[in-house]
Amino acid sequence: MVTRAVTELSPGMVLAEDVLTPGGRFLMPRGTVLDVGHLKSLLAWNLAEVRVAGEASPCPDAPAAAAPDAAQGRPDVLEAAEAAVRERFACCILAASPCDVLFRLALDREVRRRLAEGVPAGEGGEDRSWRMIESEPGHLAMDALLRDEPQLVSPPEVYLRISAVLGDPASTVEDAAESIKHDPSLAAKLLRLVNSSYYARTMRAMRGRFPAKIDSLSRAVTVVGARQLATLALGVSVLPLFQDIPQNWVNMRLFWEHSVGCAAAAQALAEATGLVNPETAFVAGLLHDIGRIIAFKQAPAHMAAAMRRAEAEGCPLYLAEREVLGFDHAALGGHLLQKWQFPANLEKMVRYHHDLDEPFIIDEPAVVHLADVVATAMGWGGSGNRRLPAVDPAAWAALGLTGEALAALVPGMEDRLADTMRSFFPDHQGPL
Ligand SMILES: [Fe+2]
Ligand SMILES: [Fe+2]
């Protein structure tokens, strides 16, 4: 019988003792033959080590981090950045893809950010006043949360018009533009988005057919495609419903940076893998955590208890939410999108981004799952998690990417994040 760090376990090993969560609850019995699901669960609960049967054998160590070029001559900055990033990656196997490449990229970004801003950013900017609420209420019903919020009972009118266009295979360019133009704020956001570098490649490919700046919805439809623009409009049209959360609970700037970062990453992953339409992936990334906003607004005491529990046990927020509320923010967001009759694949991408064991086909949720991992790993905004949740091996396999292929996509994702933040929040100043 030997003691093994959880990050050094591999499928096929056998537990020599019962495993309990850090809070003392029973997790797995002695004699369990570990499979990938067990390893995910142990990592998710942030357990440091377990006792397994058999002899100790050498395990790969976490690779020593190569010092980013930007840190030359600043060992103090490198040391502080590496400590912060190692803490963020504490639940990940650093010797395996994609965590190995994400760690290297995250360290590089953290060094650059500290050199530019002089202070750590990201999760550190989250308000911590939820610690003041000490009760631990019982489980809730998802429907009750949505029923009690009049804004969520039905979607905005413009959404219904766009939805009708999407649902009609015979819809035309004019129908798509018409459905959007009555909402000037939505139309302006979409035009800014289409004029960002987001569609720069398409516009370059169409050089000569369009002016340098797209200034009308009908031209935007021609560049992006009617259904694609309607899908983008669907996601953007509901954003105003998720803006007015008390700032002492969630830092909304960090929330949207994380969401837009996930959207940019999901879109790039969709383009690279062909697993889903890029605009659908973008909207799914944008809305993937809206359940967190609904829960904070409708059940603040529950969410405070979940955040306290996640911090005390070192587990991801979604697992603590399941314990405290009876469901997680992904299921709540998916439930709302289902009630609003969002396209089924988009709803599933939101609903299962933390639960890849559930859907029969995981290709589409895998895109949002990995995009969320990338956004959290890179420290884009605030995900509500101090530590990066473990990467689902099946999701990583479904994408069919190598670590280096993913690494090559990340700079483009970061550019899209900055561009899209400027499109949606014109007052926003980079760097993020
Ligand atoms: Fe999430
Ligand atoms: Fe997230």
Side-chain angles (χ1 to χ4, degrees):
M1 186 162 68
V2 293
T3 301
R4 273 283 172 82
V6 167
T7 51
E8 295 175 347
L9 297 174
S10 51
M13 290 180 171
V14 179
L15 289 177
E17 288 180 349
D18 291 347
V19 175
L20 308 179
T21 68
R25 285 187 304 286
F26 181 80
L27 191 60
M28 287 172 206
R30 184 165 70 97
T32 300
V33 181
L34 296 173
D35 61 19
V36 169
H38 295 120
L39 297 184
K40 274 167 49 187
S41 186
L42 292 168
L43 283 166
W45 279 104
N46 193 31
L47 294 166
E49 54 190 29
V50 295
R51 305 276 281 169
V52 291
E55 297 298 318
S57 62
C59 287
D61 289 327
D69 291 343
Q72 294 301 327
R74 292 298 304 270
D76 55 328
V77 172
L78 178 60
E79 190 179 339
E82 184 163 351
V85 176
R86 280 202 183 274
E87 167 62 18
R88 195 186 307 157
F89 279 70
C91 297
C92 298
I93 300 174
L94 291 180
S97 271
C99 287
D100 51 355
V101 292
L102 289 174
F103 182 88
R104 174 165 50 81
L105 294 167
L107 179 60
D108 182 60
R109 182 170 192 271
E110 188 66 24
V111 166
R112 285 187 283 118
R113 183 159 63 183
R114 283 167 185 262
L115 288 171
E117 299 175 17
V119 290
E123 304 291 344
E126 293 278 15
D127 194 283
R128 301 289 179 191
S129 54
W130 45 264
R131 286 196 176 116
M132 306 300 288
I133 293 185
E134 290 184 349
S135 63
E136 177 121 357
H139 285 184
L140 290 171
M142 271 195 271
D143 265 333
L145 288 191
L146 303 180
R147 217 177 26 238
D148 293 346
E149 172 56 62
Q151 275 194 313
L152 300 182
V153 171
S154 59
E157 201 186 319
V158 62
Y159 167 92
L160 298 172
R161 282 200 301 269
I162 300 162
S163 193
V165 168
L166 268 178
D168 178 2
S171 59
T172 63
V173 167
E174 288 73 27
D175 294 333
E178 186 69 26
S179 68
I180 297 162
K181 77 176 188 192
H182 296 292
D183 185 330
S185 155
L186 171 63
K189 280 193 185 105
L190 286 171
L191 285 177
R192 281 199 297 269
L193 194 60
V194 174
N195 278 300
S196 71
S197 65
Y198 183 87
Y199 286 105
R201 201 173 47 191
T202 310
M203 294 188 21
R204 269 199 302 276
M206 294 175 155
R207 204 192 317 267
R209 289 177 54 196
F210 294 100
K213 192 166 166 54
I214 301 297
D215 57 1
S216 73
L217 283 172
S218 50
R219 280 202 169 118
V221 167
T222 317
V223 170
V224 181
R227 299 188 69 76
Q228 289 82 351
L229 192 75
T231 301
L232 285 176
L234 207 60
V236 177
S237 72
V238 300
L239 294 187
L241 300 185
F242 304 103
Q243 304 283 1
D244 65 332
I245 299 297
Q247 287 282 337
N248 58 339
W249 289 102
V250 178
N251 180 322
M252 292 304 289
R253 176 177 165 273
L254 292 179
F255 175 85
W256 285 115
E257 277 182 26
H258 171 71
S259 301
V260 170
C262 183
Q267 190 202 22
L269 290 171
E271 285 172 351
T273 62
L275 289 175
V276 61
N277 171 281
E279 281 70 28
T280 304
F282 180 87
V283 172
L286 194 61
L287 301 181
H288 78 291
D289 275 345
I290 53 167
R292 194 151 61 90
I293 293 298
I294 300 168
F296 265 116
K297 198 169 178 186
Q298 300 297 95
H302 287 76
M303 286 301 279
M307 290 185 79
R308 263 201 331 276
R309 186 180 280 232
E311 186 172 70
E313 300 186 356
C315 67
L317 180 61
Y318 72 89
L319 284 178
E321 288 168 351
R322 289 177 194 170
E323 297 276 328
V324 176
L325 288 94
F327 50 84
D328 63 32
H329 65 268
L332 181 59
H335 190 62
L336 177 69
L337 298 189
Q338 185 182 31
K339 279 174 80 82
W340 285 358
Q341 298 181 352
F342 262 74
N345 60 341
L346 213 156
E347 172 237 314
K348 285 186 171 54
M349 291 166 78
V350 169
R351 183 186 295 274
Y352 297 119
H353 75 271
H354 289 305
D355 193 6
L356 279 293
D357 291 337
E358 191 58 35
F360 181 59
I361 297 173
I362 68 163
D363 290 8
E364 292 174 338
V367 169
V368 177
H369 172 79
L370 194 74
D372 186 38
V373 165
V374 171
T376 307
M378 296 301 294
W380 295 337
S383 67
N385 288 296
R386 194 159 56 93
R387 289 177 170 170
L388 179 64
V391 180
D392 188 294
W396 177 237
L399 288 168
L401 292 174
T402 62
E404 288 310 316
L406 175 63
L409 295 174
V410 170
M413 295 172 182
E414 204 159 33
D415 287 347
R416 283 181 207 196
L417 163 59
D419 256 2
T420 311
M421 283 300 284
R422 280 190 287 271
S423 301
F424 288 171
F425 308 100
D427 296 337
H428 172 77
Q429 302 288 326
L432 295 172

